[in-house]
């Protein structure tokens, strides 16, 4: 008999919370079974195994991240949109480290393509770039530059990789301002 309150969605949400606490890479079915007060085998009524659970967390994280990024750029353009997007990216990556790690979990291309979260993240990225009027393939190149910068900074911040006696927020602002200048003066081919 299924345990009251134990559903696939509840299990995935609990796994996402656990990932933020202990790290996405440390998720186990045994840990979640213990949190729900059930045996490991009981979880197989809701997920096919650990990889299915991790994929579920990844898809949930994409949905949540899409909400955050979409709200950040809504009604903004240019530098204001870039700053809001960058700040939302950083806050999600550092505030939800397990969920953020889950967004990099490998998902089958057909499952990833069907994800509303992934599609909305892409929409938010291109909404941000509309203020810079970049044609393709420049827009794709710009998205890659932004993601590389935001990911690198957030990852180094989260892992204590910055040790200089300078405010991280001040460095972040300078980086975002520099990206704005790059996007504004994007080199023409």
């Amino acid at each position: 008999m299924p345990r009251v309150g134990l559903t696939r969605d509840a299990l995935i949400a609990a796994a996402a919370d656990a990932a933020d606490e202990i790290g996405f890479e440390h998720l186990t079915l045994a840990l979640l079974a213990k949190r729900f007060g059930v045996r490991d085998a009981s979880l197989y009524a809701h997920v096919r195994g650990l990889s299915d659970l991790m994929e579920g967390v990844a898809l949930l994280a994409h949905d949540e991240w899409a909400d955050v990024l979409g709200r950040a750029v809504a009604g903004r353009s240019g530098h204001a949109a870039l700053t809001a997007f960058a700040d939302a990216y950083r806050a999600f990556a550092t505030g939800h480290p397990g969920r953020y790690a889950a967004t990099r979990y490998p998902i089958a291309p057909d499952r990833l393509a069907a994800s509303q979260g992934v599609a909305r993240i892409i929409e938010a990225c291109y909404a941000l770039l509309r203020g810079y009027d970049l044609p393709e393939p420049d827009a794709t190149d710009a998205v890659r530059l932004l993601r590389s910068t935001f990911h690198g900074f957030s990852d180094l911040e989260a892992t204590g990789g910055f040790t200089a006696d300078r405010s991280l927020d001040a460095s972040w602002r300078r980086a975002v301002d520099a990206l704005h200048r790059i996007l504004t003066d994007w080199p023409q081919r």
Side-chain angles (χ1 to χ4, degrees):
M1 173 181 289
R3 174 101 175 187
V4 174
L6 182 56
T7 64
R8 179 177 175 80
D9 288 345
L11 184 59
I12 289 170
D17 290 342
D20 283 340
E21 295 166 20
I22 65 168
F24 181 69
E25 67 281 3
H26 298 294
L27 282 180
T28 66
L29 291 174
L31 171 91
L32 290 165
K34 185 175 180 180
R35 286 188 178 205
F36 279 97
V38 300
R39 294 182 183 193
D40 297 12
S42 299
L43 302 183
Y44 287 94
H46 307 286
V47 293
R48 292 183 303 278
L50 183 60
S51 61
D52 184 36
L53 176 71
M54 293 177 96
E55 181 178 292
V57 172
L59 293 171
L60 173 67
H62 280 106
D63 284 340
E64 293 174 348
W65 198 20
D67 291 343
V68 168
L69 295 174
R71 281 192 305 271
V73 298
R76 294 180 174 92
S77 67
H79 191 267
L82 175 63
T83 299
F85 184 98
D87 290 349
Y89 188 113
R90 180 181 176 207
F92 187 85
T94 59
H96 299 286
R99 283 170 164 84
Y100 181 67
T103 65
R104 296 184 312 278
Y105 184 74
I107 299 174
D110 59 321
R111 300 262 303 139
L112 198 58
S115 166
Q116 290 299 311
V118 171
R120 290 185 302 123
I121 289 169
I122 292 167
E123 288 172 17
C125 290
Y126 284 92
L128 155 67
L129 290 177
R130 275 195 286 278
Y132 294 100
D133 199 28
L134 298 177
E136 284 296 351
D138 295 332
T140 296
D141 294 341
V143 167
R144 289 175 177 167
L145 171 66
L146 294 175
R147 183 168 188 208
S148 299
T149 304
F150 300 158
H151 170 72
F153 193 103
S154 298
D155 186 60
L156 287 166
E157 178 179 3
T159 58
F162 293 123
T163 58
D165 187 26
R166 169 129 167 96
S167 161
L168 286 175
D169 290 338
S171 294
W172 179 254
R173 288 284 151 247
R174 294 292 305 265
V176 172
D177 289 346
L179 288 170
H180 171 67
R181 285 190 300 279
I182 290 169
L183 292 172
T184 301
D185 298 326
W186 194 262
Q188 302 299 312
R189 296 199 221 190

